[in-house]
């Protein structure tokens, strides 16, 4: 099926260009030189690419309006053009009474038929001229990927209970139902957060941003979900509570008799007693970070914990490990010295740290250099949840330092780099 759409919205909104609908093929044209997109513009290459492929056009007066917001109807039409998904049905728009006679009726219908959204997502009407939010964009693209590839659909399920590396996860502003969609677009690189650590779920998306995202979507839609390490990490964290196997060469030890893995999910959210009746501790997550000597990091989760203000010395031949725990003191004497040896599992006696990311992302670290009781961090019988640090070898080390293990009750976690 071939179609050519040329629509100019009232008020100088987005102009949609010609597009051939056969299996993702499209017409191309030389990109125009827009007066409001100078050579120094951060999205110039993406804008030129989108225009040359007919996904976007200027206003006809020499301007592109890169900062103008994109509407639901506009982005639905663009996805309809870019997507290589098969069209399952063209009846999607029939349930939207407010689309009758609208220029985008057919395009919205086809985008729905390709799996990007459903009529049930908008029970009050599609409202085509409403500016698209970033979380809507994330949901549409992630859902569209899932409609094409079953593994993306599985990835959405895997990340329902993951740790999402954006400020809104701890600070609020991101609903639990939105975790999977944001995880998929972050994990594939389709979308990124802002420099302040936020994702901006309710912010609108500009034409320049859309042009950039289109370049990424063209590539991502043809790649497998498991080819993206960041997404694999978020999937593993959602399923087990740790990104150990996705990021590192470490593998969980397998019981020779039962063939069961001694993996982190065996102890996730279990409670154990601290030594000397000092209280209880619940282990929630174990996040591994690959950090460099200049305090930059090589995985997406690293941005949540390490920045230039990270105050702990670390060895670049070791991973940083951050453990998410809830401690409930049973005494008023659980100070920093006592807590440092309160666990019979040495690996779970984590260190305190300070970092600028605690303000950026809203994480709560075990305080550095403080008397936990006198400063009110530990209060008798009051649960407090926080992150503490450890480290882990990157390569096999002769001796006892290849991996680690700990146990909670009858459950054991054990991991190391296989020696083959």
């Amino acid at each position: 099926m071939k179609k050519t759409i040329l629509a100019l919205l009232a008020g100088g909104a987005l102009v949609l260009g010609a597009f051939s609908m056969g299996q993702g093929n499209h017409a191309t044209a030389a990109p125009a030189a827009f007066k409001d997109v100078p050579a120094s513009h951060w999205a110039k290459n993406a804008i030129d690419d989108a225009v040359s492929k007919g996904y976007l056009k200027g206003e006809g007066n020499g301007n592109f309006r890169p900062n103008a917001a994109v509407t639901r109807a506009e982005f639905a039409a663009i996805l309809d053009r870019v997507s290589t998904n098969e069209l399952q049905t063209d009846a999607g728009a029939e349930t939207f009474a407010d689309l009758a006679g609208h220029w985008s009726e057919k395009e919205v219908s086809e985008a729905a038929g390709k799996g990007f959204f459903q009529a049930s997502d908008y029970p009050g009407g599609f409202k085509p001229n409403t500016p698209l939010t970033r979380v809507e964009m994330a949901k549409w693209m992630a859902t569209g990927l899932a409609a094409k590839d079953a593994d993306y659909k599985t990835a959405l399920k895997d990340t329902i209970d993951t740790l999402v590396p954006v400020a809104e996860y701890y600070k609020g502003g991101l609903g639990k139902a939105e975790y999977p969609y944001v995880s998929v677009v972050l994990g594939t690189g389709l979308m990124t957060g802002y420099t302040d650590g936020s994702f901006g779920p309710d912010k609108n998306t500009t034409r320049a941003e859309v042009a950039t995202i289109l370049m990424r979507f063209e590539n991502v839609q043809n790649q497998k979900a498991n080819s993206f390490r960041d997404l694999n990490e978020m999937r593993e964290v959602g399923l087990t509570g740790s990104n150990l196997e996705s990021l590192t060469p470490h593998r969980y030890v397998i019981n020779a008799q039962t063939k069961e893995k001694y993996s982190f999910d065996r102890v996730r959210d279990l409670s154990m007693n601290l030594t000397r009746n000092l209280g209880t501790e619940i282990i929630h997550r174990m996040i591994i970070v690959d950090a460099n000597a200049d305090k930059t990091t090589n995985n997406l989760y690293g941005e949540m914990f390490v920045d230039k203000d990270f105050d702990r010395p670390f060895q670049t031949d070791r991973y940083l490990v951050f453990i998410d725990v809830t401690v409930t003191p049973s005494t008023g004497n659980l100070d920093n010295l006592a807590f440092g040896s309160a666990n019979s599992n040495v690996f779970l006696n984590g260190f305190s740290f300070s970092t600028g990311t605690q303000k950026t992302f809203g994480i709560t670290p075990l305080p550095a250099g403080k008397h936990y009781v006198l400063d009110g961090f530990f209060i008798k019988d009051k649960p407090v949840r926080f992150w503490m640090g450890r480290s882990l070898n990157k390569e096999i080390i002769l001796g006892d330092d290849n991996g680690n293990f700990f146990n909670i009750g009858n459950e054991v976690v054990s991991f190391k780099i296989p020696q083959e």
Side-chain angles (χ1 to χ4, degrees):
M1 177 179 65
K2 301 282 186 179
K3 73 173 183 179
T4 301
I5 305 169
L6 189 61
L8 178 61
L9 301 183
L14 180 67
V15 181
L16 299 173
F19 182 62
S20 175
M21 289 298 293
Q23 294 299 314
N25 297 321
H26 46 74
T28 59
F34 297 110
K35 293 183 293 184
D36 54 355
V37 184
S40 59
H41 193 281
W42 65 270
K44 178 174 172 52
N45 290 340
I47 291 171
D48 287 348
D49 183 71
V51 169
S52 71
K53 292 174 179 176
Y55 299 151
L56 301 171
K57 281 189 176 182
E59 290 189 290
N61 61 0
N63 290 323
F64 181 78
R65 295 194 311 123
N67 297 322
V70 173
T71 67
R72 289 175 181 169
E74 291 164 356
F75 195 63
I78 292 168
L79 285 178
D80 182 32
R81 297 171 168 205
V82 178
S83 173
T84 57
N85 286 19
E86 293 185 6
L87 182 64
Q88 300 300 320
T89 175
D90 60 1
E94 291 182 2
T95 55
F96 293 122
D98 59 346
L99 281 180
H102 193 273
W103 70 265
S104 69
E105 184 174 4
K106 183 179 180 181
E107 287 70 33
V108 172
S109 174
E110 290 183 347
K114 292 180 179 181
F116 288 99
F117 47 81
Q118 301 178 37
S120 59
D121 294 336
Y122 298 98
F126 190 70
K127 299 179 181 178
N129 297 325
T130 300
L132 188 76
T133 65
R134 280 172 57 83
V135 76
E136 279 184 297
M137 175 176 282
K139 183 176 181 179
W140 287 14
M141 291 192 294
T143 304
L145 291 172
K148 181 178 183 179
D149 186 334
D151 196 28
Y152 281 104
K153 186 175 183 179
T154 303
L156 289 174
K157 295 178 180 178
D158 292 346
T159 51
I160 287 174
D161 194 32
T162 197
L163 173 66
V164 188
V166 295
E168 290 88 354
Y169 182 84
Y170 280 119
K171 292 183 175 181
L174 187 68
K176 188 174 177 62
E178 296 163 345
Y179 291 176
Y181 308 116
V182 176
S183 295
V184 167
V185 297
L186 288 176
T188 57
L190 278 172
M191 298 177 73
T192 60
Y194 293 103
T195 55
D196 64 356
S198 68
F199 181 75
D202 296 327
K203 289 185 177 181
N204 298 136
T205 307
T206 68
R207 284 163 54 83
E209 291 171 334
V210 165
T212 302
I213 290 169
L214 290 180
M215 290 184 68
R216 300 168 186 163
F217 189 83
E218 278 190 305
N219 294 321
V220 171
Q221 69 178 336
N222 296 316
Q223 297 183 54
K224 297 295 184 181
N226 61 12
S227 67
F228 298 96
R229 193 192 69 184
D230 286 335
L231 180 56
N232 289 339
E233 287 187 54
M234 282 186 271
R235 294 175 71 172
E236 186 185 356
V237 170
L239 293 171
T240 72
S242 179
N243 60 335
L244 178 82
E245 291 193 321
S246 299
L247 178 66
T248 81
H250 286 264
R251 294 295 174 260
Y252 292 110
V253 174
I254 298 177
N255 186 302
Q257 284 73 42
T258 66
K259 306 302 180 183
E260 293 181 306
K261 273 187 175 183
Y262 290 133
S263 54
F264 189 83
D265 59 307
R266 299 173 70 97
V267 302
R268 185 180 187 182
D269 296 326
L270 292 186
S271 179
M272 62 181 178
N273 293 323
L274 298 176
T275 59
R276 304 187 300 282
N277 296 318
L278 291 173
T280 59
E281 184 173 10
I282 301 173
I283 313 299
H284 303 293
R285 293 189 175 108
M286 180 176 71
I287 302 298
I288 319 299
V289 169
D290 185 11
N292 304 310
D294 62 357
K295 297 185 180 180
T296 58
T297 58
N298 300 312
N299 64 317
L300 197 57
Y301 278 123
E303 298 175 4
M304 290 192 75
F305 300 95
V306 177
D307 66 358
K308 62 181 179 59
D309 297 321
F310 187 74
D311 70 336
R312 297 286 302 202
F314 60 89
Q315 300 167 284
T316 55
D317 61 346
R318 296 184 68 83
Y319 297 105
L320 287 169
V321 181
F322 295 92
I323 305 172
D324 177 19
V325 301
T326 294
V327 170
T328 304
S330 58
T331 173
N333 295 320
L334 188 53
D335 59 17
N336 50 350
L337 294 177
F339 182 71
S341 60
N343 204 310
S344 58
N345 295 287
V346 176
F347 191 72
L348 299 181
N349 286 325
F351 58 72
S352 60
F353 64 95
S354 178
T355 176
T357 63
Q358 61 195 82
K359 293 182 179 179
T360 301
F361 288 92
I363 65 171
T364 300
L366 181 64
K370 292 187 176 182
H371 191 292
Y372 304 146
V373 176
L374 295 180
D375 291 328
F377 188 76
F378 283 146
I379 299 174
K380 182 180 178 181
D381 299 327
K382 183 178 180 179
V384 57
R385 186 165 177 171
F386 57 91
W387 291 89
M388 58 186 184
R390 293 294 301 180
S391 68
L392 182 66
N393 58 298
K394 287 186 176 180
E395 299 178 352
I396 294 175
I397 300 174
L398 297 178
D400 298 328
D401 199 23
N402 179 24
N404 223 302
F405 73 94
F406 53 90
N407 64 285
I408 298 178
N410 296 324
E411 296 292 349
V412 177
V413 176
S414 182
F415 46 88
K416 62 183 179 180
I417 302 176
Q419 300 186 50
E420 298 178 354

